[in-house]
Amino acid sequence: MADTKKPSPTVKEFALWQLERIATDALDKGPKCVTGRRVDIERLMQEGFDIQIIAFHELTKRWKTYAFIDTTAKKVFVDADLMDNPALAKKYRFTLGEELAHKLIHTSLFANCRSVEARLAIEDDLDEMRKARLENNARALASAMLMPEASVRTFVAEVIPKFTNQQGQVCVDKLASAISHEYDVNFRPAKRRLKLLGYHRSHGWDLA
């Protein structure tokens, strides 16, 4: 009997250097969206890409997702509670970054997805390898936009003496916390950004 299982949609793999370049090009579209080191991701989406941000009541409760983007209509729908809760402001910013990432690198995959059901159906059709690739690439690109490489490397060089003990050992968690505060992102993405930039290899840091 023939195998009638629907093939998993194709998800393009991006090298880190490609994602860094895409992030730089994206930020160039919104030069007024960076104040100090903080990237105003809302303004970047709205002014740089003409994307409308719309609150969606009980999105997470009903579909277990915080946001989804309609790449055709240029609208991103975000769970209203995530948008309105000041305690979740950093998560909200990173969520927007991930949705913009999907717009930039997964447009063909999510073409014509105008409902949560359509978006989730495509993701459900992905095998585990492609689903992981989708999520990892989106997170990496969101991180690159919210924490630009050149800026982070300069910041790390400036503050690293503060977190280095007399034995020359760096407290990586304190450094990641400083990045979290400076760039207005959560701790885990900040620490993961250090790994994506290769500090575990260049400096021997434990970034697990």
Side-chain angles (χ1 to χ4, degrees):
M1 183 176 178
D3 184 1
T4 58
K5 184 179 178 180
K6 186 178 179 181
S8 185
T10 299
V11 178
K12 183 178 178 180
E13 178 69 273
F14 289 86
L16 288 176
W17 67 266
Q18 292 176 303
L19 295 176
E20 297 291 347
R21 185 179 65 189
I22 293 169
T24 298
D25 290 344
L27 291 170
D28 284 345
K29 291 182 177 293
K32 296 181 180 179
C33 298
V34 182
T35 303
R37 291 189 172 95
R38 184 184 185 276
V39 175
D40 187 338
I41 191 69
E42 282 188 327
R43 186 173 181 181
L44 178 62
M45 294 180 79
Q46 294 167 337
E47 297 182 7
F49 294 90
D50 195 29
I51 295 173
Q52 184 179 3
I53 301 170
I54 301 172
F56 196 123
H57 183 59
E58 293 190 338
L59 176 62
T60 305
K61 181 178 180 180
R62 294 165 65 183
W63 283 286
K64 294 183 172 57
T65 187
Y66 286 106
F68 79 96
I69 190 166
D70 178 345
T71 58
T72 303
K74 289 189 169 184
K75 295 179 180 180
V76 61
F77 299 87
V78 185
D79 183 84
D81 290 335
L82 178 62
M83 292 181 69
D84 296 338
N85 189 342
L88 297 176
K90 292 180 178 179
K91 184 175 184 62
Y92 167 61
R93 282 169 40 73
F94 200 84
T95 296
L96 289 183
E98 287 187 89
E99 293 307 311
L100 179 54
H102 286 309
K103 163 68 177 174
L104 295 174
I105 61 176
H106 297 137
T107 297
S108 60
L109 181 65
F110 294 124
N112 302 316
C113 279
R114 299 193 176 188
S115 68
V116 185
E117 292 88 350
R119 161 75 171 268
L120 296 181
I122 289 176
E123 294 187 9
D124 287 343
D125 284 339
L126 297 174
D127 58 31
E128 291 305 313
M129 180 187 72
R130 290 177 173 83
K131 190 173 292 187
R133 181 184 299 164
L134 177 84
E135 294 174 354
N136 290 338
N137 281 177
R139 287 173 184 165
L141 180 51
S143 293
M145 289 187 287
L146 290 167
M147 294 169 277
E149 179 177 5
S151 176
V152 171
R153 291 195 184 281
T154 299
F155 179 70
V156 169
E158 290 175 356
V159 304
I160 200 170
K162 298 179 182 179
F163 309 112
T164 304
N165 63 23
Q166 293 180 345
Q167 289 73 42
Q169 298 170 324
V170 176
C171 182
V172 176
D173 282 355
K174 288 184 178 180
L175 175 59
S177 292
I179 293 171
S180 170
H181 175 74
E182 190 73 13
Y183 292 85
D184 199 15
V185 298
N186 282 324
F187 172 82
R188 287 180 64 186
K191 189 172 182 179
R192 186 168 60 241
R193 184 67 173 136
L194 289 172
K195 186 172 184 178
L196 290 172
L197 290 176
Y199 282 97
H200 59 304
R201 293 189 298 271
S202 61
H203 290 63
W205 296 344
D206 181 5
L207 294 170

